[in-house]
Amino acid sequence: MTPIEVGITGLGALVLVICLHVPVGIAMAVVGAGGFLVLTGSWSGMFSLFGTETVSMLTNQEFSVVMTFLLMGGFAGIAGLSGDIYKLANVWIGHYRGGLAMATIAGCGGFGAISGSSIATTATMTRIAMPEMEKRNYLLSLCSGTLAAGGTLGSLIPPSIIMVIYAVQVEQFVIDMFLAAVMPGLLSIFLFFIAIRVYLMMNPSAAEISPRAEWAERLKVTRKSWGASAIIIVVMGGIYSGIFTVNEGAAVGLVMTLAFAYMRGALKGQAFWATIYESAGSIALLYLIMLGANIFTYFMTLSHMPQEIVEWVKSFDIPPMAIILMLVAMYVVLGAVFDALAGMVLTLPFVFPLVTGLGFDPIWWGIINVMVIEIGMITPPVGINVFVLKSLRPEIPLSTIYKGVLPFLIANIVALFLVLFFPEIALWLPNALR
């Protein structure tokens, strides 16, 4: 068999193994190692591949920031900083029609800037915001749709764990990814606000108008939420200004959130160790996925399959943007039936060389990738954020959640197309600060 034939066979074997419900990380590692053995005939090389790639992953300083951000998000949650962000948004914009839902979106964006995780943002904000919206007689569909969609901002608002993984995999600067995500993140929040207002124009009885907070209450809540604001300003301001590296900024944020949790008495009992155990489990799963992805990528590179795909696509003389649109459609379908992060890591060996070979900016494509992942997180039949919310509120039917998600899904698609056709939305900030 030629190397290309081995690569195609390996890809088919990977799909088959995943369909047998083997975890994605293990499937990629086994198929990648098997393909390496077929191409080289070296048993010792195959076994050493596991050792070298594991050491490479565990000693990669850029990827170690993921663990720090996960811990920071965990301690921020138990310290109540997410509640502070939500209350701050609520006292300033909660009195508008749909203001509580908009405050929830703003709260999700703020907590996403601390946690870096979509799932953590959805789970945390559901516990905080859902009871408040129910008190104001918000329809369950609007409540659940706001929270499931708002949680996706944890992936887009920097710092984002998915962005770190993408940057490490394709050897781009993490800071450039964070800078490129600022405007698309703000754009998504703005479009979510519009989606809420349009929804309430069509369904005026879906939410009550909250009373306007007094200035004394606004100032009181603003002062109380200084901790969350300080963490965001110090961490992201320090990273963007060059005072901190990304690792140093994450470490500073972790110390700050740990200090706030301690001062607020949130580390009593098993809270500290529970946060450590939960973060350790998440990081172990991510490391397994990344290890498998690295081994599979090595096999794909050895087979020359990515280069052949690039040349094959170019031979059809299709406009580059048409190819990008086809890739976006592929990711939306993939995200609807497959874990979004695993789908990104799995396809990067083929898609990234194709996109850069067509002359597109890798940072811009990274933002597009994250935005498509956002869509996959709330798209049926999987939509991981929907199931996170469902697990916390099992009495809410899935049909109700998906009905509420629809306006935000449309807003996400509009944001995606704006960044697709106007790349400077993502690129002007990193270009300006280089």
Side-chain angles (χ1 to χ4, degrees):
M1 294 175 69
T2 66
I4 294 296
E5 290 172 338
V6 173
I8 295 172
T9 303
L11 183 60
L14 178 62
V15 173
L16 176 62
V17 172
I18 291 174
C19 289
L20 294 175
H21 301 290
V22 175
V24 173
I26 296 175
M28 288 190 290
V30 171
V31 173
F36 176 88
L37 176 62
V38 172
L39 288 174
T40 63
S42 172
W43 284 92
S44 61
M46 182 191 73
F47 287 118
S48 68
L49 192 62
F50 284 95
T52 56
E53 291 301 326
T54 300
V55 171
S56 176
M57 283 298 307
L58 293 176
T59 57
N60 189 317
Q61 292 187 4
E62 286 192 341
F63 191 68
S64 67
V65 74
V66 173
M67 179 168 56
T68 313
F69 279 134
L70 278 170
L71 280 170
M72 187 173 81
F75 287 124
I78 64 173
L81 296 177
S82 50
D84 292 345
I85 295 171
Y86 174 70
K87 292 172 185 175
L88 178 64
N90 188 32
V91 295
W92 286 101
I93 63 176
H95 57 277
Y96 294 105
R97 179 171 291 280
L100 202 57
M102 289 189 282
T104 300
I105 294 295
C108 287
F111 187 66
I114 297 178
S115 71
S117 166
S118 172
I119 294 174
T121 301
T122 302
T124 302
M125 294 305 297
T126 295
R127 295 187 184 97
I128 295 168
M130 180 72 86
E132 295 298 322
M133 285 193 280
E134 287 178 316
K135 287 179 186 176
R136 305 303 196 282
N137 295 318
Y138 274 61
L139 283 182
L140 275 180
S141 58
L142 179 57
C143 297
S144 54
T146 300
L147 286 161
T152 64
L153 295 171
S155 298
L156 186 58
I157 301 292
S160 163
I161 292 170
I162 290 178
M163 285 184 200
V164 174
I165 291 173
Y166 174 87
V168 170
Q169 286 294 98
V170 301
E171 299 180 344
Q172 297 295 315
F173 288 114
V174 176
I175 293 179
D176 283 347
M177 286 295 301
F178 287 175
L179 287 170
V182 171
M183 291 308 296
L186 294 175
L187 174 64
S188 292
I189 291 174
F190 175 71
L191 290 174
F192 281 174
F193 283 2
I194 292 177
I196 292 168
R197 295 305 296 266
V198 171
Y199 184 95
L200 291 175
M201 286 173 60
M202 299 173 65
N203 304 276
S205 62
E208 290 183 359
I209 299 178
S210 302
R212 182 188 295 266
E214 299 292 336
W215 277 101
E217 184 183 357
R218 290 182 178 182
L219 294 176
K220 178 183 177 181
V221 172
T222 301
R223 283 195 299 268
K224 188 177 179 181
S225 65
W226 72 271
S229 303
I231 291 172
I232 295 172
I233 292 170
V234 170
V235 174
M236 301 315 299
I239 291 173
Y240 290 153
S241 65
I243 297 174
F244 305 140
T245 64
V246 176
N247 292 68
E248 291 167 347
V252 169
L254 174 58
V255 171
M256 290 179 71
T257 54
L258 186 58
F260 276 110
Y262 175 77
M263 289 187 295
R264 293 183 174 187
L267 298 180
K268 297 177 181 177
Q270 294 296 315
F272 176 81
W273 291 112
T275 303
I276 295 292
Y277 293 150
E278 184 179 350
S279 299
S282 298
I283 196 66
L285 180 61
L286 287 174
Y287 267 110
L288 179 60
I289 292 175
M290 298 302 294
L291 173 63
N294 284 353
I295 293 175
F296 187 73
T297 299
Y298 195 90
F299 160 53
M300 284 290 104
T301 302
L302 204 61
S303 72
H304 304 293
M305 191 173 170
Q307 300 94 309
E308 290 296 326
I309 289 175
V310 172
E311 295 303 320
W312 179 69
V313 171
K314 284 183 176 180
S315 68
F316 287 101
D317 198 27
I318 302 172
M321 185 52 70
I323 296 173
I324 293 295
L325 290 174
M326 286 189 285
L327 290 174
V328 167
M330 177 196 75
Y331 273 117
V332 170
V333 174
L334 191 65
V337 296
F338 203 70
D339 177 73
L341 173 60
M344 182 190 78
V345 173
L346 179 65
T347 55
L348 271 178
F350 320 102
V351 173
F352 185 75
L354 175 59
V355 171
T356 53
L358 293 172
F360 291 102
D361 189 286
I363 297 296
W364 169 80
W365 177 247
I367 300 301
I368 295 297
N369 233 201
V370 173
M371 295 181 79
V372 174
I373 284 174
E374 276 191 296
I375 293 173
M377 285 177 171
I378 55 175
T379 302
V382 177
I384 188 168
N385 278 15
V386 173
F387 283 94
V388 169
L389 193 150
K390 174 69 174 176
S391 68
L392 294 172
R393 296 295 300 269
E395 74 279 7
I396 302 177
L398 279 175
S399 59
T400 299
I401 302 176
Y402 281 123
K403 180 181 177 182
V405 155
L406 182 59
F408 301 99
L409 187 58
I410 295 171
N412 263 334
I413 293 172
V414 172
L416 173 65
F417 274 89
L418 285 173
V419 178
L420 270 173
F421 291 104
F422 301 97
E424 284 304 309
I425 294 175
L427 297 177
W428 79 269
L429 189 56
N431 288 340
L433 296 180
R434 278 174 183 165

